[in-house]
Amino acid sequence: MQFRIFGCDREIDASLIDADAETIRDQVREYEDGDRRTFDLEVEYPDDFTGAVMRAMARIPAGETRTYGDLASELETAPIAVGQACGRNPLPVIVPCHRVVGRDSLTGYGGGLELKRRLLEHEGASIPGSE
């Protein structure tokens, strides 16, 4: 399923969300408009490493970030493995991979670094490397 946020098209695997497309799009629109900080959607996480990383990302509150190293420590793995799993996130924005950043910079994002920056600014998060 596709949706548009801040002028960018994003693709998600809606089969992992127990809601219809209209509900998902409505919640994304409410988030973009600033009327919603969290998504009220039941997500079915994959039963693998990517799912474990997705669960960790889902625990990062809006307006905060964690580094790839932070999540790697939590999951007892390597930061590069966390980065690869973030890149496989089938539910970008809804499961907030944009909140995972490098120690000193934003680094990779499937929607592009400008969208990642825009999402973090929208949430009021500190952006590494922009001090």
Side-chain angles (χ1 to χ4, degrees):
M1 176 191 129
Q2 270 200 325
F3 63 86
R4 193 162 182 78
I5 186 161
F6 299 120
C8 296
D9 291 322
R10 295 298 302 167
E11 181 77 29
I12 63 165
D13 182 353
S15 72
L16 297 174
I17 299 174
D18 188 18
D20 59 44
E22 182 179 349
T23 299
I24 296 167
R25 283 191 181 98
D26 285 348
Q27 288 198 22
V28 169
R29 191 171 23 260
E30 291 166 1
Y31 168 83
E32 183 177 23
D33 290 345
D35 296 329
R36 171 180 293 280
R37 298 229 350 130
T38 60
F39 294 95
D40 184 24
L41 300 166
E42 190 174 326
V43 172
E44 180 182 330
Y45 295 96
D47 197 21
D48 58 10
F49 181 71
T50 298
V53 172
M54 289 173 66
R55 283 183 179 87
M57 291 186 295
R59 291 190 293 270
I60 304 169
E64 295 184 21
T65 60
R66 301 290 184 274
T67 66
Y68 296 98
D70 292 337
L71 293 187
S73 292
E74 178 182 331
L75 299 170
E76 298 180 349
T77 191
I80 195 162
V82 170
Q84 291 168 341
C86 287
R88 292 188 299 270
N89 177 12
L91 301 172
V93 180
I94 294 164
V95 174
C97 49
H98 61 277
R99 296 179 190 153
V100 183
V101 298
R103 182 180 44 214
D104 300 319
S105 63
L106 284 183
T107 70
Y109 185 65
L113 289 180
E114 284 310 308
L115 177 57
K116 185 172 189 169
R117 179 180 306 282
R118 179 66 183 104
L119 291 166
L120 292 172
E121 287 172 348
H122 176 67
E123 295 179 0
S126 295
I127 300 173
S130 64
E131 292 82 37

